[in-house]
Amino acid sequence: MKGKASRQGIHFRPHFKSHNSAEVAKWFEEAGTDAITVSSVTMASYFAAQGWKDITIAFPLNIREIDKINLLAGQVKLNLLIEHSETISFLVEKLKFPAGFFIKIDTGYNRTGISPNRTDLIDQILHIASIRKDLFFKGFLTHSGQTYQASGRTEISRIHKQSTVILRELKNYYKILFPDLWLSIGDTPSCSVAEDFEGIDEIRPGNFVYYDLMQVQIGSCDYRDIAVVVACPVVAKHQERMEIVIYGGAVHLSKEFLNDQNGTRIFGMITEFHESGWSEPVKNVWLASLSQEHGIISSPNSEFFDKATVGDLILILPVHSCLTANILEDQIII
Amino acid sequence: MKGKASRQGIHFRPHFKSHNSAEVAKWFEEAGTDAITVSSVTMASYFAAQGWKDITIAFPLNIREIDKINLLAGQVKLNLLIEHSETISFLVEKLKFPAGFFIKIDTGYNRTGISPNRTDLIDQILHIASIRKDLFFKGFLTHSGQTYQASGRTEISRIHKQSTVILRELKNYYKILFPDLWLSIGDTPSCSVAEDFEGIDEIRPGNFVYYDLMQVQIGSCDYRDIAVVVACPVVAKHQERMEIVIYGGAVHLSKEFLNDQNGTRIFGMITEFHESGWSEPVKNVWLASLSQEHGIISSPNSEFFDKATVGDLILILPVHSCLTANILEDQIII
């Protein structure tokens, strides 16, 4: 991903929420990354304590955390995310150190951000911010999360194109007043699939560090790109239902699921170790349900069922690696 | 719940997985509870370290954790859960201290446990266990988790009756060889609704400590019984969609959801503080979607929408309090 950003001549600011790990962060550092994205003030503080000096908190500013934000702004090069005049007014009044800010633009995901045709709201924010000379307008930031609902590379590319067209128009509109403003995009599907980043200054993908079954289904990656499994012990087997019970539940994997082409809920798929890594998902076997600590694997595949023994470890490819990694950060299961 | 157990003359062994908190555990201790249920060896070790001396791990024995199990068996009165001859053989060979065990019976939930008509499998386990005089057969344990799919008190009562009939038949069958064997049941819906516990020796409910929206939907409790909310800051508002964005996502609440009568997914409902506690759910407002850190509240209720201001705290009643409490155990959000 870093190579792709370099080839395109754009800044690489990976999102660290997907791993939230000081160790994985070191791999990025060794590869030359020096700027990061996080999704909470807590996460920013964590990575600041590890020595990261250039951090964007890509989450609408929570004014209740102003004290921690001020601490951070005194320590690192901090960028905040704004989409309301109330928030920027608060910041103008309370910020104690220099900071940058992006304005969040909604390019079609409809989760957060200002609609791009509401330049009146954007102008209002910029006007309020201009009171402070140490509060820098960095540019426009979006997260085209609608790509997470896409069904294939063509749809991802179409969404990416729409988003970048919208952002470029905004840049053109504001470039006389702000000639150095940046456009920052983030979603892993677009960053994985797209080749045309015209006008874009920065990418912030996160999930790509592990990928997962959802990204395979969307079309961002292939199974062999998934870089995380959860090893779960077999604790019971039920021949009459061809089910294997594992110690691995919602508190380990999260309750995220996919629907396969028959509408069956898939909470994870199963892979096996090979010399060169792990296999493609085992056919005709899937993680069919999760309760708090239990997982139930359906295995009409009798060869797999027969081989599984109480005490074995079964390797689960997660549906959404960000949630799984978040939950398992501090846990070791043996 | 403790009062109900006392009145019925049955043993109360609450499940601590729902709170997993030393502080909440103290409330139970102060109310005279001295025996507990947990769902993992890790949780057993945690509560053993807090001084709890009588612990049932109501999860099929994970043989890979035998070293930690031996440590515990040397410290507390420990009960384990068995449903396979391989597991009991392993235990007979490796257990270093006295312990009790329950045999898990599947009374219709079809998740784990031995089918009650497979007395051949039960006999096999009892035969293997009899080699060790310090491995005590305590009785039969079930979790009628199918009550979590029930739609009302009548269905809960019907499931409870079916389960207890099955268990009593097993007790009758084995009482000559094991006159002191216990029957232990667990699910919160049955324990909340049922009044007939004939033949049952122990209840192990957990969720009742907080209850949640799922339990209201099932019929276990009323809204005013829910004893946990998550306070989430408002970070953005979108008038055109009547949506409020909160800092409160899947990593705080879990992705568990309910479907309302129209099939709308509900990830949480909203309550408000009153002098005497919190209100019934605010009408025409619900937590409509969750991403990793964001929650989106749909508020066709314009009075509620207009009142909400960036920086306010909104109180979310969770769908599944066990998962929410598990995730938020060590986190404070301000």
Side-chain angles (χ1 to χ4, degrees):
Chain A
M1 195 61 85
K2 185 164 189 297
K4 187 171 190 175
S6 297
R7 286 193 302 278
Q8 298 275 354
I10 52 187
H11 188 236
F12 183 54
R13 185 187 286 278
H15 206 313
F16 275 17
K17 75 168 182 175
S18 310
H19 56 81
N20 202 10
S21 151
E23 188 167 342
V24 177
K26 278 214 184 88
W27 307 344
F28 279 95
E29 193 186 352
E30 285 161 16
T33 298
D34 58 4
I36 68 172
T37 310
V38 298
S39 55
S40 70
V41 177
T42 306
M43 216 180 283
S45 306
Y46 173 76
F47 286 111
Q50 312 286 333
W52 293 89
K53 293 286 181 204
D54 188 348
I55 303 176
T56 295
I57 304 176
F59 188 90
L61 180 70
N62 175 17
I63 64 172
R64 302 178 76 91
E65 293 179 292
I66 188 64
D67 292 343
K68 286 199 274 178
I69 290 166
N70 272 325
L71 265 177
L72 275 168
Q75 292 166 356
V76 306
K77 201 172 147 193
L78 187 68
N79 295 315
L80 301 166
L81 193 57
I82 302 292
E83 63 173 278
H84 276 283
S85 54
E86 296 96 306
T87 318
I88 195 77
S89 297
F90 182 90
L91 203 58
V92 161
E93 194 185 328
K94 303 282 187 182
L95 188 70
K96 292 187 178 160
F97 297 94
F101 72 95
F102 282 90
I103 294 178
K104 178 77 180 273
I105 301 298
D106 181 3
T107 58
Y109 184 29
N110 294 345
R111 184 178 65 176
T112 61
I114 299 177
S115 174
N117 56 15
R118 295 300 303 271
T119 50
D120 57 326
L121 298 178
I122 295 171
D123 290 344
Q124 202 180 4
I125 290 171
L126 292 172
H127 179 72
I128 296 167
S130 67
I131 301 167
R132 289 273 300 245
K133 297 301 164 215
D134 56 352
L135 190 51
F136 310 104
F137 174 51
K138 305 286 290 186
F140 298 111
L141 180 150
T142 198
H143 174 67
S144 301
Q146 65 270 42
T147 55
Y148 280 71
Q149 310 299 325
S151 54
R153 300 169 69 89
T154 311
E155 194 178 349
I156 294 171
S157 297
R158 187 182 55 71
I159 293 167
H160 171 71
K161 194 172 176 186
Q162 281 174 346
S163 285
T164 50
V165 164
I166 289 169
L167 289 173
R168 280 200 301 269
E169 283 172 1
L170 268 182
K171 192 176 186 173
N172 280 334
Y173 186 87
Y174 283 98
K175 74 180 174 191
I176 297 168
L177 275 172
F178 300 96
D180 299 325
L181 79 83
W182 274 28
L183 298 179
S184 176
I185 66 167
D187 63 300
T188 280
S190 293
C191 294
S192 300
V193 169
E195 288 300 332
D196 180 4
F197 292 87
E198 190 195 330
I200 301 303
D201 300 283
E202 177 177 87
I203 57 172
R204 311 179 320 278
N207 175 285
F208 78 94
V209 68
Y210 293 136
Y211 282 124
D212 52 35
L213 293 177
M214 198 185 289
Q215 294 297 324
V216 174
Q217 196 180 55
I218 294 167
S220 302
C221 67
D222 192 10
Y223 286 116
R224 63 178 165 270
D225 299 317
I226 300 178
V228 62
V229 296
V230 185
C232 298
V234 174
V235 293
K237 288 176 69 176
H238 295 283
Q239 179 85 46
E240 66 283 14
R241 298 189 294 273
M242 296 301 269
E243 285 179 356
I244 299 163
V245 184
I246 56 170
Y247 176 26
V251 297
H252 310 113
L253 290 154
S254 95
K255 291 213 81 161
E256 196 94 60
F257 62 87
L258 297 173
N259 290 305
D260 73 3
Q261 61 274 31
N262 307 317
T264 306
R265 284 189 183 179
I266 308 280
F267 289 87
M269 296 184 85
I270 285 79
T271 184
E272 289 180 315
F273 273 127
H274 286 295
E275 270 180 42
S276 57
W278 47 68
S279 71
E280 294 227 335
V282 181
K283 287 194 171 42
N284 218 10
V285 183
W286 67 96
L287 185 56
S289 72
L290 290 176
S291 38
Q292 187 164 343
E293 309 256 357
H294 302 75
I296 306 292
I297 292 173
S298 272
S299 179
N301 175 336
S302 58
E303 191 191 345
F304 184 83
F305 182 86
D306 293 343
K307 206 170 51 182
T309 306
V310 165
D312 282 359
L313 289 177
I314 289 189
L315 306 181
I316 309 291
L317 296 165
V319 170
H320 191 172
S321 59
C322 304
L323 296 185
T324 305
N326 182 281
I327 295 176
L328 289 179
E329 248 175 283
D330 304 318
Q331 292 187 46
I332 297 164
I333 304 167
I334 54 160
Chain B
M1 195 61 85
K2 186 165 186 299
K4 186 172 191 174
S6 297
R7 286 193 301 279
Q8 297 276 352
I10 52 186
H11 189 236
F12 183 54
R13 186 187 283 280
H15 206 313
F16 276 18
K17 74 168 183 176
S18 310
H19 56 81
N20 201 11
S21 150
E23 188 166 342
V24 177
K26 278 214 184 88
W27 306 344
F28 279 95
E29 194 186 351
E30 287 161 13
T33 297
D34 59 3
I36 68 170
T37 310
V38 298
S39 56
S40 69
V41 177
T42 306
M43 218 181 278
S45 306
Y46 173 75
F47 287 110
Q50 313 285 333
W52 292 88
K53 292 288 183 201
D54 187 348
I55 303 175
T56 296
I57 304 176
F59 189 89
L61 179 70
N62 174 17
I63 63 174
R64 302 179 75 92
E65 294 180 290
I66 188 65
D67 293 344
K68 286 199 274 178
I69 291 166
N70 272 325
L71 266 177
L72 277 167
Q75 292 167 355
V76 306
K77 200 172 146 195
L78 188 67
N79 295 314
L80 301 165
L81 193 56
I82 302 292
E83 64 173 280
H84 277 281
S85 54
E86 296 96 305
T87 318
I88 195 77
S89 298
F90 182 90
L91 203 57
V92 161
E93 194 187 328
K94 303 281 188 185
L95 188 69
K96 292 188 178 160
F97 297 95
F101 72 95
F102 282 91
I103 294 178
K104 178 77 180 274
I105 301 298
D106 181 4
T107 59
Y109 184 29
N110 294 344
R111 183 178 67 176
T112 60
I114 298 177
S115 174
N117 57 14
R118 295 299 304 272
T119 51
D120 56 325
L121 297 178
I122 296 172
D123 291 344
Q124 202 180 1
I125 290 171
L126 292 172
H127 178 71
I128 295 167
S130 67
I131 299 168
R132 290 272 300 242
K133 297 303 164 209
D134 57 350
L135 190 52
F136 310 103
F137 174 51
K138 305 287 288 186
F140 298 111
L141 180 150
T142 198
H143 175 67
S144 301
Q146 66 270 43
T147 55
Y148 281 70
Q149 309 300 324
S151 53
R153 300 170 69 89
T154 311
E155 193 179 350
I156 295 171
S157 297
R158 188 181 54 71
I159 293 167
H160 171 71
K161 193 172 175 186
Q162 281 174 346
S163 285
T164 51
V165 164
I166 289 169
L167 289 173
R168 280 201 300 270
E169 284 172 0
L170 268 181
K171 192 177 186 174
N172 281 334
Y173 185 86
Y174 283 97
K175 74 178 173 193
I176 298 170
L177 275 172
F178 301 96
D180 300 326
L181 78 80
W182 274 27
L183 298 179
S184 176
I185 67 167
D187 62 298
T188 279
S190 293
C191 295
S192 300
V193 170
E195 288 300 332
D196 180 4
F197 293 86
E198 190 197 330
I200 301 303
D201 301 284
E202 178 178 88
I203 57 171
R204 311 180 319 280
N207 175 285
F208 77 95
V209 68
Y210 294 136
Y211 282 124
D212 51 35
L213 294 177
M214 198 185 291
Q215 294 296 324
V216 175
Q217 196 179 55
I218 294 167
S220 302
C221 66
D222 192 12
Y223 287 117
R224 62 178 166 270
D225 300 316
I226 300 178
V228 62
V229 297
V230 185
C232 299
V234 173
V235 294
K237 288 177 70 177
H238 296 281
Q239 179 87 46
E240 65 284 14
R241 300 188 291 275
M242 297 300 269
E243 285 179 354
I244 299 164
V245 184
I246 56 170
Y247 175 25
V251 298
H252 310 112
L253 290 153
S254 96
K255 291 213 82 162
E256 196 93 60
F257 62 86
L258 297 173
N259 290 304
D260 73 2
Q261 62 273 32
N262 307 316
T264 305
R265 285 189 183 179
I266 308 281
F267 290 87
M269 295 185 84
I270 284 77
T271 185
E272 289 179 315
F273 274 126
H274 286 296
E275 270 179 44
S276 58
W278 46 69
S279 71
E280 294 229 335
V282 181
K283 287 193 172 43
N284 217 9
V285 183
W286 66 96
L287 185 56
S289 71
L290 290 175
S291 38
Q292 185 162 344
E293 309 256 357
H294 303 75
I296 306 292
I297 291 173
S298 271
S299 179
N301 176 335
S302 59
E303 191 191 344
F304 184 85
F305 181 87
D306 292 343
K307 207 171 50 181
T309 306
V310 165
D312 281 359
L313 288 178
I314 290 190
L315 305 182
I316 308 292
L317 296 165
V319 171
H320 190 172
S321 60
C322 304
L323 295 185
T324 305
N326 181 281
I327 293 174
L328 289 179
E329 249 174 281
D330 304 317
Q331 292 186 46
I332 296 164
I333 305 166
I334 54 164

